[in-house]
Amino acid sequence: MTALKSISIADASRQEWDILVIGAGPAGTVAAHQAARSGLKTLLVEKKVFPRYKVCGGCLNQRAVNALQEAGLAAALDELDAVHLDQFEMRYQGRALKIPLPGGMAVSRSALDLQLVRMAQQSGVSFLAETKALVCNEAISGFTRKIDLYQQGALCGVARARAVLAADGLGHPSLKQCGEFESKISHDSRIGAGVILPGDQISDYPAGTIHMAIHRHGYVGLARVEANQLNVASAIDREFIKHQQSPNAAVISIMEESGFSVPPVMRSMNLKGTIPLTRKTVRPASHRLLLVGDAAGYLEPFTGEGMSNAISEGVAAVRIASNGLQDWDQSLEQQWLHTHQTLTEGRSHWCRYLSQLLRSPTAINVGLRLFRWFPNMARPIVASLNH
Ligand SMILES: Cc1cc2nc3c(=O)[nH]c(=O)nc-3n(C[C@H](O)[C@H](O)[C@H](O)COP(=O)(O)OP(=O)(O)OC[C@H]3O[C@@H](n4cnc5c(N)ncnc54)[C@H](O)[C@@H]3O)c2cc1C
């Protein structure tokens, strides 16, 4: 696999960009690709070394697959040997429920995000790798925004752009110099933890199914991705992790109690964690700056909405920002608030209900019984999450 080509920090600082995108997750890569395809001079800045691991279930629902298709990026999934999903199996206290899925694909985030960066570069995006971007806190006026560029902890350059899209994920770390982007973190927000395991050491967990172990203190999702690897991702109450004394012990306890087998390799797995997940940025827009994807806010990942929201927001943010490159008008910020509300918050009512229901043992038991007796009841929920 050839390494990604990066422009130099000197080159990135010398020019004025139409759009500067911070973060090469699905929101950032799709936005950068879209901007370059519209003829805009686009810089994508990423702090990590790619390919990089990201805690995620790796499951794109049907809406995410459609959104990639509409953005002209569906080839990414074919080239990566992504696995088709057709079933969701959840287990709670030894009882199982299987629900057919209308479509969807599973792929590791390291492979997907790397491929999306490559495709963005092919469409004309300049990629600045291994560089941390920090948006400067300057007066709310002017034709550009300035972004400090750090490599190995040292300030090495300053880039200027007519519009900045902060697609830097949970907690929007690129905005820490700007005081105005307050986040509200839910009091019962869970911690994410995940890992990718080599498939040859695990015989259970067939490809094509999302296996979900449910527990009142969290859940663990397992899905086969490319090369038969097993992607493990969980969201767990902070108190439960403390009580179990480690994220590994918490994951294993959830799987055992739900009735899933625990392959021996999982007992010594090296889980990576996240900051608390459920949060919302009070106002995800400012002068020549829009917050996109998880940077704008995040609900629990149970229903696989994360990447589909990130992709749809990436496309929509470019449409709005490109209208303000000459004259930025505050009405564009209002437009973004409305669009973000419609694309993400307005769609998340099922995620909200489900994540609350799954915290109550009685509700889980009643739900499991209802869905087993009346399997058609699950269809409208699954459909609304996938379209
Ligand atoms: C446990 C768990 C399971 C999940 N399962 C699923 C699932 O199955 N399906 C699904 O659709 N969603 C799932 N999600 C949600 C999904 O992972 C996110 O919604 C999605 O990654 C959001 O994409 P993004 O582009 O907004 O941010 P991210 O993917 O987080 O990308 C942000 C990027 O910005 C970079 N960055 C950060 N700060 C800077 C900086 N200062 N300068 C430069 N670069 C920076 C980061 O390195 C990163 O590459 C899950 C999440 C969790 C925690």
Side-chain angles (χ1 to χ4, degrees):
M1 193 183 286
T2 50
L4 284 172
K5 244 175 69 192
S6 169
I7 69 162
S8 72
I9 209 159
D11 273 352
S13 304
R14 211 170 284 135
Q15 313 174 42
E16 183 179 299
W17 300 94
D18 290 324
I19 303 260
L20 187 150
V21 182
I22 304 174
T29 47
V30 169
H33 174 263
Q34 197 71 11
R37 277 214 316 183
S38 320
L40 302 175
K41 198 169 154 193
T42 307
L43 178 67
L44 173 63
V45 187
E46 167 58 49
K47 72 175 175 190
K48 295 247 173 90
V49 181
F50 263 45
R52 58 97 177 85
Y53 174 74
K54 151 88 178 79
V55 177
C56 183
C59 297
L60 293 140
N61 63 13
Q62 187 63 52
R63 180 177 163 236
V65 174
N66 293 345
L68 276 181
Q69 231 151 28
E70 279 159 28
L73 289 163
L77 296 172
D78 304 333
E79 283 165 31
L80 294 173
D81 241 352
V83 176
H84 285 268
L85 292 168
D86 53 24
Q87 182 168 256
F88 180 84
E89 178 190 10
M90 62 190 253
R91 291 194 188 191
Y92 177 70
Q93 294 184 339
R95 286 191 297 281
L97 175 72
K98 293 183 181 177
I99 300 172
L101 291 175
M105 307 282 257
V107 64
S108 73
R109 286 294 302 277
S110 46
L112 176 66
D113 294 7
L114 177 67
Q115 186 63 18
L116 291 175
V117 174
R118 284 191 202 291
M119 294 179 78
Q121 284 185 309
Q122 283 158 13
S123 72
V125 170
S126 298
F127 181 56
L128 179 56
E130 296 170 48
T131 304
K132 185 162 89 177
L134 289 185
V135 178
C136 297
N137 189 17
E138 55 198 347
I140 302 297
S141 64
F143 293 104
T144 55
R145 283 212 76 135
K146 284 196 202 129
I147 296 93
D148 290 337
L149 301 172
Y150 287 80
Q151 283 182 341
Q152 294 169 348
L155 179 63
C156 298
V158 180
R160 280 179 306 125
R162 290 186 167 258
V164 175
L165 303 180
D168 51 338
L170 280 179
H172 46 66
S174 72
L175 300 173
K176 69 175 184 199
Q177 299 186 148
C178 314
E180 64 196 289
F181 299 102
E182 185 201 342
S183 277
K184 282 193 178 152
I185 302 171
S186 168
H187 69 281
D188 57 359
S189 179
R190 288 174 164 162
I191 299 276
V195 69
I196 298 233
L197 299 170
D200 53 0
Q201 296 176 28
I202 303 162
S203 53
D204 297 336
Y205 302 106
T209 297
I210 304 174
H211 311 269
M212 187 69 76
I214 308 284
H215 187 282
R216 65 191 174 286
H217 291 301
Y219 36 83
V220 182
L222 304 104
R224 295 277 177 181
V225 292
E226 76 281 0
N228 204 30
Q229 302 172 96
L230 188 67
N231 192 98
V232 181
S234 59
I236 308 178
D237 288 341
R238 289 171 275 181
E239 282 306 310
F240 188 66
I241 294 177
K242 262 192 224 153
H243 183 256
Q244 294 290 320
Q245 297 183 348
S246 73
N248 266 31
V251 164
I252 287 169
S253 165
I254 290 173
M255 288 182 61
E256 284 178 340
E257 203 183 303
S258 69
F260 275 113
S261 66
V262 178
V265 66
M266 285 188 81
R267 305 220 172 247
S268 54
M269 63 192 166
N270 188 11
L271 287 169
K272 295 270 182 303
T274 69
I275 56 176
L277 296 171
T278 309
R279 54 182 65 225
K280 175 181 155 88
T281 306
V282 178
R283 189 181 160 81
S286 173
H287 181 67
R288 294 188 181 271
L289 174 63
L290 305 178
L291 280 66
V292 187
D294 280 8
Y298 188 58
L299 267 170
E300 266 185 37
F302 182 74
T303 51
E305 288 277 276
M307 285 192 276
S308 62
N309 289 342
I311 295 164
S312 319
E313 286 203 1
V315 173
V318 170
R319 218 174 20 242
I320 291 177
S322 58
N323 287 331
L325 299 183
Q326 295 308 324
D327 295 309
W328 187 268
D329 186 309
Q330 271 203 350
S331 68
L332 295 169
E333 293 162 36
Q334 274 316 114
Q335 253 185 61
W336 177 242
L337 299 185
H338 177 72
T339 304
H340 168 68
Q341 177 77 33
T342 314
L343 283 178
T344 301
E345 292 183 11
R347 294 183 46 85
S348 23
H349 53 280
W350 276 119
C351 301
R352 253 192 303 272
Y353 297 148
L354 283 173
S355 68
Q356 284 312 314
L357 283 180
L358 292 170
R359 284 173 153 87
S360 152
T362 316
I364 302 174
N365 274 318
V366 171
L368 275 176
R369 275 205 199 106
L370 275 176
F371 287 145
R372 284 173 97 170
W373 289 336
F374 309 105
N376 284 344
M377 271 182 72
R379 288 219 177 108
I381 303 177
V382 174
S384 88
L385 292 168
N386 278 277
H387 295 287

